[in-house]
Amino acid sequence: MMKRYGFLALGTLALLPSLAQAAQPLGAGAVDLYYIPSAGIEVTDPLGPDGDDDGDGFGVKGLFKVAESVALSGEYQSSTYDDSDADIDQLRLGVGFVGTGLSGIFAEYDKIDFDGEDIDGFSIRARLAGDLNPQFGLYGDIGYALLESDDEDIDGLEFTIGGVLRLNPQAGIFVDYRLSNLEGQDSGVEVELDDLRVGVRLEL
């Protein structure tokens, strides 16, 4: 399943470089405040019952250029699921080497709280962004995470694809979709998280 989504992510991101080449600079960065109207989780356990749940959530994320080719990123997101009443909180902090439109390569520290059980570690991400015109832009990233819990190592692939509609030079509305697929190396338990996020972008 993870390979299938990986090929989908690579195919989607392959469309973005032509946009990035023609892009106008996206500025020094942005802050996003968002609502998650659709947060999904699917668990596949080779030794036990599988399960899935849906919910919603909220978050804030930012990307800031701090030097000519260096940017910092950060994110906090919290989701609550309806049937299980479980909470999943995510914290991400990264640094990257960037070019036009804040496209680049990022190294990131990731921490996920699965209803009181923490996993954390690092990921590497490739980000592409570009404008169709001054009002509308597209962005996406693909990343690979190496995490660990108290019991085992966990790894997985993640991708995000989204677009932003600028209402003026300082503010816009964005929609994006993120899919994360994490697998325990010893247990074989696979957890898939998918989030549809809608919010306000404040550009700097």
Side-chain angles (χ1 to χ4, degrees), residues 24-94:
Q24 298 298 318
L26 295 182
V31 176
D32 295 339
L33 307 172
Y34 60 89
Y35 171 61
I36 308 169
S38 176
I41 182 172
E42 181 177 341
V43 179
T44 304
D45 188 343
L47 300 179
D50 300 337
D52 61 82
D53 203 351
D54 298 298
D56 61 3
F58 65 92
V60 58
K61 56 189 175 78
L63 181 62
F64 311 96
K65 197 170 184 179
V66 295
E68 183 177 354
S69 301
V70 180
L72 301 178
S73 63
E75 177 185 322
Y76 173 77
Q77 175 176 305
S78 180
S79 303
T80 301
Y81 297 86
D82 298 333
D83 295 335
S84 62
D85 201 32
D87 294 316
I88 296 180
D89 297 329
Q90 301 184 49
L91 175 66
R92 301 161 183 251
L93 299 170

Side-chain angles (χ1 to χ4, degrees), residues 47-196:
L47 300 179
D50 300 337
D52 61 82
D53 203 351
D54 298 298
D56 61 3
F58 65 92
V60 58
K61 56 189 175 78
L63 181 62
F64 311 96
K65 197 170 184 179
V66 295
E68 183 177 354
S69 301
V70 180
L72 301 178
S73 63
E75 177 185 322
Y76 173 77
Q77 175 176 305
S78 180
S79 303
T80 301
Y81 297 86
D82 298 333
D83 295 335
S84 62
D85 201 32
D87 294 316
I88 296 180
D89 297 329
Q90 301 184 49
L91 175 66
R92 301 161 183 251
L93 299 170
V95 60
F97 294 98
V98 297
T100 301
L102 293 175
S103 298
I105 300 293
F106 285 78
E108 189 174 84
Y109 169 75
D110 300 334
K111 180 178 181 181
I112 307 176
D113 181 342
F114 280 98
D115 207 28
E117 181 179 349
D118 289 345
I119 67 172
D120 67 350
F122 297 91
S123 64
I124 185 75
R125 302 178 180 280
R127 182 179 191 273
L128 287 171
D131 287 356
L132 291 175
N133 56 54
Q135 284 72 47
F136 185 70
L138 294 176
Y139 59 92
D141 72 54
I142 184 168
Y144 179 72
L146 288 169
L147 311 174
E148 62 179 16
S149 67
D150 292 337
D151 302 321
E152 65 178 336
D153 293 332
I154 299 164
D155 69 350
L157 189 67
E158 178 178 272
F159 80 89
T160 304
I161 187 75
V164 57
L165 174 65
R166 296 183 183 87
L167 304 177
N168 57 53
Q170 289 75 42
I173 298 170
F174 79 92
V175 178
D176 65 27
Y177 173 78
R178 181 167 69 190
L179 179 67
S180 309
N181 193 299
L182 303 174
E183 183 176 356
Q185 294 305 292
D186 296 328
S187 65
V189 173
E190 195 171 323
V191 177
E192 182 179 284
L193 301 171
D194 63 279
D195 300 310
L196 177 66

